[in-house]
Amino acid sequence: MSRAPLAATAALVCLASACPAPADAPITTTPSSRPSPPDTAAEVPQLPPVQQLIRASTALRGIRPSLDELAAVEADPAQLAVLVDAYLDDPRLGEVVRDLHDETLFMSDPTQRYPATGPLAGLEATRIRASLEASPLRLAEHVVVEDLPYSELVTADYTVADPIVAAAWTGLDGYDPAGPEWQVVRWSDGRPAAGLLSDSGLWSRTRSPNRNFNRRRANYVTRTLLCLDYLDLDVDLAASDALADPEDPSVLQSNGVCAACHTSLDPLASFLPFRESWGTADMQWPMQLFTEHGDYWEGLSGQPPAYFGTPGDDLADLGRSIAADPRFSACTARRFYSYLAEVPLDEVPADIVDELDEQFVAAGLSAKALLRDVALHPSLQRAEPLPSRPEQLAATIEDLTGYRWEAYVDEPCCAAPALSSPLGEVDLLRDDLVGYHALAGGIDAYAKLEPTRTATATGALVLRRLAGDAAAFVVAADLQGGTPRLLDRVGPDDTGEDAVRDQLVALRWRLYGERATPADVDPGFALWSATWQRTGSVQEAWTATVAAMLQDFGMAYH
């Protein structure tokens, strides 16, 4: 592991977002005006089996296949399905599941401030934020990795916590300091059991300020779990001659235009018994967000809880209603495919959603089965390059070279420094506050809510810096002895053309899954030779060559 110097602190741009309401049962979303990809795999050539393996491995584990795995599929393409099954039990699947759900739940927000006070005093700011924002993602990971019915995401009578989460929120019980870092715990403050919907971490991230009466949160629930965003619905507010009076929420029910949405939205919001909003200075650990009285909704919109016309009593009823709603399984199928296939959510073909949803339901809502079905879906094997996400680049580079792009920031975080602490260790390719996650194509869950799926100048610059540092790290380590990661055909004194070309052929296979002959690597040999002649250093020659290969299109895409 290596630590890179931090060149500069990224600036944060604060963008205000409005959170009105809309919708009514039955509900339909507005179709996308953008063209959808072809509906059949036959319209585009298919990838060779080895390239299909690289895509599946990158999608499910974030890393390239091993040499043994490449050779197995090259010899027998039927091994692809066998290896995909093995990938579903790989520990690295957990990070992919967390990232997939982070893109859904928008938990990792660099603008959030969590004071290092009380039981969290002395902890680094990055460590606090990473834990408090991770608990809903860790719950999703637990459900998927343990192959539990995916409905437990909204019905489980437990959550998942580490020592920071256990200390931060009131009502958590059963954390064992002698046990694993992340472990199953339960709420003991009387809150209804509804999986992540019961999680204080989720509602800390998603607040409802300015007399919004939890409508923003209700829309968050339907958008993330049902793929229904009230803000996308076609409602002509200009047709209304009565604007809502914030002191009289009943106007939203009596006015016809407003009621078209608020008739269903407000009763959904009434299920959510959580404190609405607060400032950083008001966060005292342990913090209570759950409100114990059952009629919390009476002081908000005044509408009793109901799920699209079906009355309910509490949060557990909301979770069970979502789990039984056909839109929940269909939305899950859409989101999983969107993430793995790098297709915008509203551009996933309807026939693929229907097919995957049917298989998902038949498999008892097994998310592992859904991941397998997506990874092996013919449409995912089209010979169209998919961009590698920052998380995939970080995992791939670390797996290939042993290099992790990190920096230590000993300055306090941003606002309210008196309540904060040094940022601490930062993973520069996964962080948006001082790192380069968004610049490399990721979301920041605040101002950038969609990943970048095309080549960009900033992405190329990030990859160039990462590749250069990683190449220097791995070449130095490989040529100084020990078990080589990449340079397994040459030593520190090998300058013969045959040996160099042989190593370049091996690198092409390891990095890109491409079979080459010594005659096919002329560009790489030319770069190696020019650098060696200029510097007289074998190490410098290989550093330049490996850096160039790590920046290649074959690494930026999969």
Side-chain angles (χ1 to χ4, degrees):
M1 185 176 295
S2 178
R3 178 177 295 167
L6 186 64
T9 299
L12 292 177
V13 179
C14 297
L15 302 177
S17 58
C19 298
D24 178 35
I27 295 174
T28 57
T29 55
T30 304
S32 170
S33 60
R34 290 176 285 184
S36 296
D39 287 337
T40 62
E43 297 180 34
V44 179
Q46 298 292 94
L47 291 169
V50 166
Q51 298 302 318
Q52 293 182 29
L53 175 67
I54 291 176
R55 180 163 293 179
S57 178
T58 303
L60 295 175
R61 304 189 300 167
I63 64 171
R64 300 297 169 107
S66 69
L67 290 171
D68 288 343
E69 291 165 351
L70 290 169
V73 170
E74 183 184 41
D76 179 10
Q79 290 299 306
L80 172 63
V82 175
L83 288 171
V84 165
D85 286 338
Y87 293 164
L88 295 174
D89 292 324
D90 190 300
R92 283 165 287 210
L93 178 70
E95 181 179 359
V96 172
V97 171
R98 295 197 302 273
D99 186 54
L100 186 160
H101 286 83
D102 192 23
E103 195 166 295
T104 299
L105 300 172
F106 295 147
M107 290 300 301
S108 301
D109 180 0
T111 69
Q112 292 284 2
R113 307 289 178 262
Y114 301 101
T117 58
L120 306 187
L123 294 175
E124 295 169 338
T126 299
R127 180 72 182 87
I128 296 174
R129 184 166 74 88
S131 288
L132 295 186
E133 294 177 346
S135 56
L137 308 179
R138 291 281 181 172
L139 175 60
E141 177 188 8
H142 175 79
V143 170
V144 175
V145 169
E146 297 300 322
D147 205 16
L148 303 171
Y150 193 70
S151 54
E152 288 208 16
L153 192 69
V154 290
T155 62
D157 65 352
Y158 57 85
T159 188
V160 181
D162 72 348
I164 294 176
V165 174
W169 307 121
T170 59
L172 277 178
D173 188 35
Y175 187 84
D176 179 8
E181 179 184 16
W182 288 94
Q183 52 188 269
V184 169
V185 295
R186 285 174 170 77
W187 299 100
S188 60
D189 57 2
R191 70 183 68 193
L196 63 81
L197 298 176
S198 302
D199 197 319
S200 291
L202 187 76
W203 303 119
S204 171
R205 167 65 184 89
T206 307
R207 306 179 195 180
S208 183
N210 303 324
R211 300 184 64 79
N212 181 255
F213 299 137
N214 277 334
R215 296 185 184 105
R216 176 182 185 178
R217 287 170 166 170
N219 186 53
Y220 173 80
V221 169
T222 60
R223 178 179 57 78
T224 58
L225 299 175
L226 304 179
C227 293
L228 164 64
D229 192 338
Y230 279 74
L231 301 181
D232 287 342
L233 297 176
D234 188 10
V235 177
D236 185 8
L237 295 178
S240 172
D241 58 2
L243 296 176
D245 180 356
E247 301 302 325
D248 183 14
S250 65
V251 173
L252 298 175
Q253 302 292 326
S254 60
N255 179 272
V257 174
C258 297
C261 296
H262 286 270
T263 297
S264 61
L265 181 70
D266 290 6
L268 283 172
S270 297
F271 277 112
L272 306 176
F274 294 94
R275 184 177 171 185
E276 293 178 80
S277 188
W278 56 90
T280 301
D282 297 326
M283 301 183 78
Q284 303 296 325
W285 311 116
M287 186 175 180
Q288 175 66 282
L289 295 189
F290 171 64
T291 58
E292 298 182 24
H293 56 282
D295 298 330
Y296 185 59
W297 55 270
E298 291 183 351
L300 300 179
S301 69
Q303 298 298 310
Y307 187 79
F308 297 106
T310 301
D313 292 325
D314 58 24
L315 203 60
D317 286 339
L318 175 62
R320 286 189 290 267
S321 295
I322 290 173
D325 192 328
R327 290 175 294 186
F328 174 65
S329 62
C331 181
T332 303
R334 180 181 293 274
R335 287 196 177 278
F336 277 47
Y337 184 90
S338 170
Y339 180 88
L340 268 64
E342 297 285 359
V343 176
L345 193 67
D346 59 358
E347 294 183 14
V348 179
D351 60 331
I352 291 181
V353 174
D354 292 343
E355 175 189 352
L356 292 173
D357 182 28
E358 182 178 352
Q359 295 168 345
F360 184 40
V361 172
L365 298 188
S366 166
K368 273 193 174 182
L370 177 59
L371 288 168
R372 184 185 193 278
D373 290 339
V374 175
L376 294 175
H377 197 276
S379 66
L380 211 69
Q381 310 309 337
R382 297 178 180 135
E384 298 173 330
L386 301 184
S388 294
R389 296 168 179 267
E391 294 80 6
Q392 293 168 337
L393 284 174
T396 293
I397 293 295
E398 183 176 1
D399 181 62
L400 290 171
T401 69
Y403 179 78
R404 191 178 179 94
W405 200 16
E406 293 181 330
Y408 188 88
V409 184
D410 59 3
E411 297 178 358
C413 172
C414 333
L419 300 176
S420 190
S421 58
L423 282 174
E425 200 76 43
V426 175
D427 186 321
L428 294 176
L429 209 52
R430 293 179 173 92
D431 179 80
D432 284 302
L433 186 61
V434 296
Y436 312 113
H437 179 253
L439 293 176
I443 67 170
D444 67 7
Y446 177 68
K448 187 173 183 286
L449 305 182
E450 283 281 342
T452 303
R453 297 184 174 91
T454 58
T456 64
T458 56
L461 289 172
V462 170
L463 180 55
R464 178 179 179 180
R465 175 62 185 272
L466 172 64
D469 288 354
F473 179 85
V474 70
V475 168
D478 283 2
L479 293 182
Q480 289 171 8
T483 302
R485 288 178 173 269
L486 292 181
L487 303 183
D488 57 349
R489 308 293 179 91
V490 294
D493 300 318
D494 288 331
T495 59
E497 180 173 346
D498 289 345
V500 172
R501 286 184 179 273
D502 185 48
Q503 182 63 76
L504 291 171
V505 168
L507 286 171
R508 285 270 291 270
W509 177 239
R510 179 69 183 98
L511 300 181
Y512 317 137
E514 295 177 358
R515 284 296 189 190
T517 69
D520 295 330
V521 295
D522 287 345
F525 182 72
L527 174 59
W528 188 94
S529 299
T531 308
W532 179 58
Q533 292 170 7
R534 178 175 57 82
T535 65
S537 168
V538 171
Q539 182 169 322
E540 289 289 341
W542 278 116
T543 297
T545 305
V546 171
M549 296 186 76
L550 292 178
Q551 295 175 63
D552 187 83
F553 181 89
M555 293 297 295
Y557 289 78
H558 60 275

